[in-house]
Amino acid sequence: MSTTIAVLGGTGPEGGGLALRWAHAGHTVIIGSRDAARAQAAAEAINAKIGAERASGAANAEAAGAAEIVVLTVPYAAHEATLESVKGACQGKILVDVTVPLVPGKVTRVALPPGGSASQEAQALLGPEVRVVTAFQNISAEHLQELGGPVDCDVLVCGDDKASKATVIALAKDAGMTAYDAGPLANAVIPEGLTSVLIGLNIRHKVKHSGIKITGIAD
């Protein structure tokens, strides 16, 4: 079943890659940005790549208001301001937080924000009527842009609402990924922190797409 998904920060490589895969899978995607014209240009590039008109662009608040699920893929420096700007539009919805609290110049070192994790800070700011789920932090944007097959990296999904996590796990499957329920939102610090570990591995091994795989679980 098609879902309308707003990807805030969808003009960047990670958000754009997720948007591309969901549009390719048949979902309706709205790219959100502070610059609506830039968002529309990114949407048109997605439509050209998949050969169908499934993506559009809008300012962040408009995109969030028109969507059933909101996905946040902005840098941590813009995290709080972006959430404040879409708080009203997100009420009663799932917000998937892909944000990682990286410190410029020290991106290979795990940084814990004051609220414990970016996703916990999002939940505190947005309030209990928004179901915050953390996911997709450990997926390389390079993987997402390759539409020829599944992504060879698993997704850890954390949140306090089981039904919302199940929805996000299904969206991951639609995008060619295997995702696992990794527990409550308090555990979001793990996938967020793993991003710094993976960045370090990429640098040391001169690659761009290291990831994680969960073993020992039968499908």
Side-chain angles (χ1 to χ4, degrees):
M1 184 174 67
S2 176
T3 301
T4 301
I5 307 167
V7 183
L8 311 185
T11 57
E14 191 76 14
L18 288 168
L20 171 66
R21 283 191 164 252
W22 284 323
H24 185 252
H27 293 291
T28 299
V29 173
I30 309 171
I31 301 294
S33 172
R34 290 176 296 176
D35 183 340
R38 189 177 174 208
Q40 183 58 35
E44 289 172 359
I46 288 173
N47 290 334
K49 192 164 185 177
I50 66 173
E53 296 291 321
R54 298 195 187 113
S56 61
N60 282 326
E62 181 183 351
E68 299 167 78
I69 296 173
V70 180
V71 180
L72 184 63
T73 65
V74 299
Y76 183 65
H79 189 246
E80 183 177 1
T82 304
L83 288 169
E84 289 282 8
S85 73
V86 300
K87 181 176 180 179
C90 290
Q91 296 304 304
K93 299 177 182 179
I94 296 171
L95 180 126
V96 184
D97 200 349
V98 190
T99 306
V100 175
L102 298 174
V103 176
K106 299 179 180 180
V107 295
T108 62
R109 181 176 297 178
V110 176
L112 303 181
S117 68
S119 294
Q120 287 173 291
E121 290 181 335
Q123 186 68 79
L125 189 155
L126 295 172
E129 295 304 313
V130 180
R131 303 180 299 284
V132 175
V133 177
T134 193
F136 305 113
Q137 288 91 346
N138 309 137
I139 305 299
S140 165
E142 297 230 343
H143 280 314
L144 296 173
Q145 294 292 338
E146 298 169 0
L147 290 177
V151 175
D152 187 28
C153 178
D154 291 337
V155 178
L156 299 178
V157 178
C158 302
D160 294 331
D161 182 76
K162 288 185 178 181
S164 298
K165 286 188 286 186
T167 297
V168 175
I169 288 169
L171 285 179
K173 183 177 180 180
D174 289 346
M177 292 172 263
T178 300
Y180 295 93
D181 184 337
L185 197 64
N187 289 355
V189 63
I190 302 302
E192 289 183 17
L194 272 173
T195 302
S196 291
V197 175
L198 293 172
I199 291 171
L201 288 170
N202 286 342
I203 292 170
R204 287 187 287 276
H205 294 273
K206 296 179 173 58
V207 297
K208 296 181 179 180
H209 43 65
S210 61
I212 62 167
K213 292 289 286 184
I214 304 301
T215 64
I217 299 177
D219 292 335

